[in-house]
Amino acid sequence: MSANSLPTIVMTPLDFISKVKQSLATLTDPELVTSGVELTNCDREPIQIPNAIQAHGILLTFTETDLTILQVSQNCSAFLGIKPADLLGQPLAVVMDEPQLAMIRGCIDTDFENVNPLRLWLQVQGKSTGFEGSVYRSDGVIVLELEVLITNDLPQQSTAILASDALAQRLRQGHAVNFFDFYKFVKTPLGRIQNTQTLAELATQTVAAIRNLTGFERVMLYRFDEDGSGHVIAENKIEGTASFVGLHYPASDIPKQAREIYRLNLLRIIPDALYEPVLLEPTLNPMTGAPLDLSLSGLRSVSPMHTEYLSNFGVRASMSISVLRDRQLWGLIACHHSTPKQLSYETRTMCEFLGQVISVEIGSKADAEDLDYKLQIQAAQARFVKTIVDCQTLMDSFTQSPQDLCELVGATGVVFCERQRVACFGKTPPDTAIADLLTWVDTQIGENAIYSSNRLVSEYPALTPSKDIASGLLALRVSQVDRTYLLWFRPEVIQTIEWGGEPNKPVAIDEHCQLRMTPRKSFERWTQTVQLQSLPWKACEIEAALALRIEITGIVLQKADELAVLNAELERSNIELDSFAYIAAHDLKEPLRGIHNYSTFLLEDYGDKLGADGTHKLTTLMRLSQRMENTIDSLLHYSRLGRAELVRQRVDLSEIVEHVIEMIEISQPSPVQFHMPRLLPTVTGDRHQITELFTNLISNGIKYHDLDHKSIEIGYILPTESDERIPATLNRSQTVFFIADNGIGIRSRHFENIFKIFKRLHPATKYGGGTGAGLTIAKKVVERHGGKIAVVSVLGEGSTFYFTLGASA
């Protein structure tokens, strides 16, 4: 088929937009936020339910089932030639014929998105009149908005840029634009927009394309900041007028609920800001008994404050096209005209289409501008994560690579907090201020475990002395249980901001003698110096901090898995050790007893025949076998001691010590003087093991002695009592117990060796023998009770063993 024989294309631009918007919806479709709005004076106006529309169109509501008209705008007679009273309660068929009704039913039956556009031809006073309309659902009713068809709104200067003169002439003559006509109109600006490399180039092409398409005197691209304020980043205007590029405007110029509606309605036009609002009749929605929600309405009446604002700005007609990024309102394409100006639905549809394409392009351009910085962040994160893997604790990893943590979010200082420990790097507030700051951060941090502010001093005045280094804070909670935090800081950056007029709105007295804020009347450049603020935290920096938390959590879980494997291996080793202990207790000790017994028999039966040398050798054999059996018993006891479950109970230490002294005095041939200046406290622990602890320490104090006068002192030191003799390795916040003797003493170089199993400082035959396991068992008992043990000794003067039993004392 040749190009000249192509069939007529029946898809209109409206049909095309409806199809294309479905594919773009996943990237740009806004969502109406229904959560409560923090009200300021400007936010109180009920802009969603004004009960009125603009005068350039009409509005009807009707039931979905039988199309019965429920509400109409009071200007319907001017457009339809039928009074409101004659329409209410009537079927929609009174204003349109069956083909038009079929189009309406088709919209209702289709799962359409927020607004469904259509074109209707209605008989008005015997004449067929074209209308551009939209259909949507609201508050349980169907809303139909109609505007008289406009076909000659295309500006003359657009013809050379957007399409051929012949095509522009067809539009002005009222011909419908088919799909290929629409494509020709948007192809050139669309290509220029998509060929831009930077965000600045995209903004410049955007305002040029929209102005060429619409003919507005001024078109600006306005970008919102995080606090709701914003600034003009690009502009295309008529010559001879002042430029607004770079000017900032406060958040109150576009209140919160207005920004939410801009997320919902991608295009908003006000053909004449001096229109007289047209009320709805009846005032309330009959289905709900409340004002009709006009959030989706293109005709919705403008707030009086906004019309006053436009008048102060010298603007008579305006149009706004929403620019979204990640379903959030990123900015607005704002169009201004000094005289009334109406656009056809087709032109507005083209603008809305370009707006959605621009939304997609802005996301990719903004991402590309931060690409190098994001790569730098990812590199810092990778280095730090590698450090975590190679280190035993998070504190170790922090101390090894704090610079990577700073680079991760572009900070000049970072603090790592874990329990009561604090480590700082770079420029940070003093350690004394960190604890109170963390307490405050706990009240501010959200469910995502992160908090950020570039106005920290204003929100937390206690850090005012540190504003030069801590005007910005990014706080990440790694673990709530262990109170593990990362705190990043940024210094104060004094900024000069150019506002479009003084940002503070004037106050006036309304008709009810109440103070109210009014729109600003001057938009001359107004310079402000901003202090006590840091550079704002970028979204990619906050995302990097959250990603780091996920990485840390993953590594901790991985180490937990590794620990579980080690625990399983340890449990297997313990089982094998139990088997070995049984063998040692049974299979090894039985032959030793045989050797000992047979040696005894030989001495008894053949002692007189063996002579002195033989008798000495048999006696040595008996002594060595007995020593080996005692060593096996000690090893078995030590092994079981570490794995036996503690039977915790209240233990009176004075009673324990008295019992130990009584047993020692029975078996001790030489007298020993015991001193216990005051009764010992009661602790929580295993009675049997604590008894063994005191038995071993007191027995050692008696055994290793070369004086006739033996003295043992048993006591304790409370945390509130000072004693410089206590070793620094012990926790002074706990009760410290001690057992002192006047024995032979220990050289300082042996202080650690004496706690090693079977480690003896003297020959086995000296000082009563023994296996050398007593102090090792004592240390194990102390550690199992959450404490530590240490010795202080002077050779030839005696030794003092200090120990704690954890927080239970």
Side-chain angles (χ1 to χ4, degrees):
M1 181 180 293
S2 66
N4 294 329
S5 61
L6 285 174
T8 302
I9 302 298
V10 295
M11 178 184 288
T12 69
L14 300 182
D15 298 327
F16 172 71
I17 285 296
S18 180
K19 298 293 185 183
V20 173
K21 284 172 66 178
Q22 292 177 12
S23 60
L24 290 173
T26 55
L27 296 174
T28 60
D29 183 31
E31 298 174 350
L32 179 61
V33 175
T34 57
S35 59
V37 179
E38 178 186 358
L39 295 178
T40 65
N41 227 40
C42 293
D43 294 323
R44 290 192 177 94
E45 291 185 287
I47 61 176
Q48 295 96 335
I49 50 172
N51 290 329
I53 62 171
Q54 299 181 60
H56 64 278
I58 60 173
L59 182 146
L60 303 90
T61 72
F62 48 88
T63 60
E64 183 170 351
T65 54
D66 56 6
L67 309 186
T68 299
I69 299 175
L70 301 175
Q71 279 181 291
V72 296
S73 57
Q74 292 182 351
N75 63 344
C76 60
S77 57
F79 284 82
L80 300 177
I82 306 175
K83 296 179 180 180
D86 296 335
L87 288 174
L88 293 174
Q90 299 298 315
L92 195 58
V94 299
V95 296
M96 61 184 67
D97 55 22
E98 185 55 37
Q100 315 299 316
L101 290 174
M103 294 178 62
I104 298 293
R105 292 192 188 97
C107 291
I108 297 174
D109 294 339
T110 304
D111 185 18
F112 61 90
E113 53 179 318
N114 294 335
V115 175
N116 212 340
L118 71 165
R119 175 166 294 168
L120 301 173
W121 293 90
L122 307 182
Q123 293 296 320
V124 178
Q125 297 178 346
K127 180 181 178 182
S128 179
T129 303
F131 288 90
E132 296 167 324
S134 60
V135 180
Y136 57 91
R137 292 187 177 92
S138 179
D139 290 343
V141 300
I142 304 299
V143 181
L144 172 63
E145 297 184 3
L146 297 174
E147 301 175 33
V148 175
L149 179 64
I150 299 175
T151 59
N152 61 346
D153 65 317
L154 190 68
Q156 292 289 341
Q157 67 266 31
S158 299
T159 57
I161 298 175
L162 298 176
S164 65
D165 289 342
L167 181 56
Q169 185 65 28
R170 287 184 58 203
L171 266 180
R172 296 191 182 93
Q173 292 174 354
H175 294 286
V177 181
N178 61 36
F179 171 79
F180 286 111
D181 293 336
F182 176 85
Y183 175 72
K184 291 176 182 178
F185 267 89
V186 299
K187 178 181 179 181
T188 300
L190 189 61
R192 292 178 177 177
I193 289 171
Q194 292 178 327
N195 287 332
T196 56
Q197 300 299 316
T198 66
L199 186 59
E201 293 177 4
L202 173 63
T204 300
Q205 289 297 329
T206 293
V207 294
I210 296 299
R211 181 163 179 253
N212 287 327
L213 182 61
T214 62
F216 276 96
E217 294 171 347
R218 184 192 302 271
V219 177
M220 302 171 288
L221 183 53
Y222 180 83
R223 179 175 183 174
F224 287 103
D225 297 324
E226 290 186 2
D227 61 357
S229 64
H231 58 286
V232 179
I233 64 172
E235 175 186 63
N236 194 290
K237 61 183 182 61
I238 60 176
E239 295 182 1
T241 57
S243 173
F244 294 160
V245 172
L247 292 185
H248 287 70
Y249 296 87
S252 57
D253 278 12
I254 306 177
K256 280 187 176 181
Q257 80 274 34
R259 295 196 295 271
E260 297 303 333
I261 291 183
Y262 279 126
R263 290 179 60 191
L264 181 65
N265 273 342
L266 301 184
L267 186 141
R268 169 76 158 151
I269 188 168
I270 305 173
D272 187 353
L274 300 183
Y275 74 94
E276 288 293 330
V278 179
L279 298 176
L280 300 184
E281 190 174 319
T283 304
L284 301 180
N285 178 3
M287 300 293 287
T288 63
L292 180 66
D293 185 353
L294 295 177
S295 297
L296 297 173
S297 172
L299 291 175
R300 175 174 49 83
S301 187
V302 184
S303 113
M305 286 193 70
H306 187 59
T307 55
E308 186 179 348
Y309 180 91
L310 292 176
S311 176
N312 295 343
F313 217 124
V315 174
R316 186 74 179 267
S318 73
M319 184 176 73
S320 299
I321 306 169
S322 302
V323 178
L324 307 178
R325 184 185 180 191
D326 298 329
R327 298 193 175 188
Q328 300 298 319
L329 186 63
W330 183 91
L332 291 173
I333 302 172
C335 309
H336 290 172
H337 212 70
S338 59
T339 59
K341 184 175 182 60
Q342 175 65 295
L343 297 179
S344 69
Y345 201 90
E346 287 175 337
T347 302
R348 281 143 54 187
T349 299
M350 294 180 193
C351 292
E352 183 179 349
F353 171 73
L354 287 177
Q356 294 195 56
V357 173
I358 291 164
S359 293
V360 176
E361 289 293 322
I362 276 180
S364 62
K365 296 295 188 299
D367 289 340
E369 287 198 342
D370 286 339
L371 182 59
D372 290 341
Y373 183 53
K374 287 180 178 179
L375 291 176
Q376 176 184 336
I377 287 176
Q378 291 174 2
Q381 178 178 330
R383 290 194 300 268
F384 184 74
V385 169
K386 184 179 184 300
T387 303
I388 299 175
V389 174
D390 296 337
C391 292
Q392 294 297 319
T393 67
L394 290 178
M395 180 65 78
D396 292 340
S397 61
F398 172 82
T399 55
Q400 289 192 22
S401 57
Q403 182 61 43
D404 289 333
L405 278 178
C406 283
E407 292 182 10
L408 185 72
V409 296
T412 55
V414 60
V415 174
F416 179 81
C417 309
E418 187 176 37
R419 297 184 179 92
Q420 303 300 323
R421 297 184 299 169
V422 174
C424 303
F425 174 80
K427 298 178 180 179
T428 64
D431 293 356
T432 54
I434 298 300
D436 291 338
L437 176 61
L438 276 180
T439 301
W440 179 79
V441 167
D442 270 336
T443 66
Q444 306 295 315
I445 208 158
E447 294 181 359
N448 291 332
I450 197 166
Y451 166 80
S452 64
S453 172
N454 67 327
R455 300 177 177 87
L456 178 62
V457 174
S458 301
E459 299 171 9
Y460 184 68
L463 278 186
T464 300
S466 302
K467 63 182 179 67
D468 292 340
I469 57 177
S471 286
L473 169 67
L474 179 60
L476 178 69
R477 183 168 61 201
V478 179
S479 170
Q480 188 169 9
V481 175
D482 293 335
R483 285 187 60 78
T484 304
Y485 286 83
L486 279 168
L487 306 178
W488 289 278
F489 295 95
R490 279 181 176 172
E492 176 188 33
V493 176
I494 299 177
Q495 305 174 65
T496 299
I497 298 179
E498 298 286 340
W499 293 92
E502 184 176 356
N504 299 319
K505 291 189 175 183
V507 177
I509 299 177
D510 62 17
E511 64 274 13
H512 302 293
C513 297
Q514 299 291 325
L515 291 176
R516 62 180 289 268
M517 295 178 70
T518 61
R520 292 178 293 122
K521 294 178 169 54
S522 173
F523 296 91
E524 295 295 327
R525 285 182 181 266
W526 191 84
T527 303
Q528 178 189 21
T529 300
V530 178
Q531 297 177 307
L532 302 180
Q533 292 187 20
S534 71
L535 294 176
W537 302 96
K538 293 184 178 182
C540 61
E541 294 165 341
I542 295 175
E543 291 170 1
L546 289 172
L548 177 64
R549 183 174 186 267
I550 295 173
E551 289 281 2
I552 292 174
T553 302
I555 292 172
V556 170
L557 291 176
Q558 178 183 346
K559 288 185 178 292
D561 290 340
E562 294 173 356
L563 184 60
V565 173
L566 292 176
N567 284 337
E569 181 65 21
L570 181 60
E571 183 177 0
R572 184 188 63 80
S573 298
N574 286 337
I575 293 174
E576 293 178 354
L577 183 60
D578 284 337
S579 299
F580 169 77
Y582 175 79
I583 294 172
H586 185 272
D587 295 350
L588 292 181
K589 290 175 67 175
E590 184 177 353
L592 287 174
R593 291 192 189 100
I595 294 172
H596 185 276
N597 291 338
Y598 274 98
S599 298
T600 303
F601 296 155
L602 287 173
L603 283 175
E604 292 176 353
D605 297 342
Y606 304 101
D608 54 342
K609 297 179 181 180
L610 292 174
D613 185 60
T615 301
H616 173 71
K617 290 180 179 178
L618 281 177
T619 303
T620 302
L621 180 62
M622 293 172 59
R623 180 172 51 81
L624 291 176
S625 63
Q626 184 62 49
R627 180 181 171 188
M628 185 173 182
E629 184 175 356
N630 292 339
T631 300
I632 291 174
D633 286 338
S634 297
L635 179 62
L636 177 62
H637 179 63
Y638 179 76
S639 172
R640 288 177 174 173
L641 180 68
R643 291 177 285 112
E645 183 177 355
L646 293 179
V647 181
R648 294 187 177 273
Q649 56 183 305
R650 300 292 290 171
V651 178
D652 186 341
L653 294 184
S654 293
E655 179 184 330
I656 292 290
V657 171
E658 289 176 2
H659 174 72
V660 171
I661 292 175
E662 180 180 352
M663 297 304 294
I664 289 176
E665 287 178 338
I666 294 175
S667 61
Q668 179 64 32
S670 59
V672 180
Q673 186 175 5
F674 294 96
H675 300 277
M676 192 164 63
R678 54 181 173 177
L679 293 177
L680 300 180
T682 299
V683 301
T684 300
D686 187 294
R687 174 180 291 273
H688 175 73
Q689 291 193 12
I690 291 177
T691 300
E692 188 170 15
L693 167 66
F694 279 92
T695 299
N696 285 344
L697 293 178
I698 294 173
S699 298
N700 273 5
I702 297 172
K703 179 190 298 185
Y704 296 101
H705 220 292
D706 54 7
L707 300 176
D708 293 335
H709 174 68
K710 299 179 179 180
S711 175
I712 303 293
E713 182 180 359
I714 305 147
Y716 65 95
I717 305 167
L718 294 172
T720 56
E721 300 170 345
S722 60
D723 194 322
E724 295 180 355
R725 297 173 300 171
I726 299 176
T729 56
L730 300 188
N731 187 351
R732 284 298 287 114
S733 65
Q734 300 173 354
T735 299
V736 178
F737 301 93
F738 65 87
I739 297 176
D741 64 64
N742 61 341
I744 62 174
I746 307 169
R747 288 185 173 86
S748 59
R749 67 174 183 267
H750 297 309
F751 284 178
E752 291 297 328
N753 291 334
I754 61 175
F755 293 106
K756 295 179 180 178
I757 193 166
F758 305 142
K759 185 68 175 180
R760 297 177 55 87
L761 304 181
H762 307 283
T765 57
K766 197 172 181 180
Y767 298 111
T771 62
L775 288 179
T776 309
I777 291 174
K779 182 181 180 184
K780 176 65 72 174
V781 171
V782 168
E783 290 175 345
R784 293 210 66 196
H785 283 78
K788 289 186 176 182
I789 188 170
V791 64
V792 174
S793 182
V794 177
L795 187 66
E797 296 183 9
S799 304
T800 302
F801 286 87
Y802 295 91
F803 61 92
T804 59
L805 293 173
S808 61

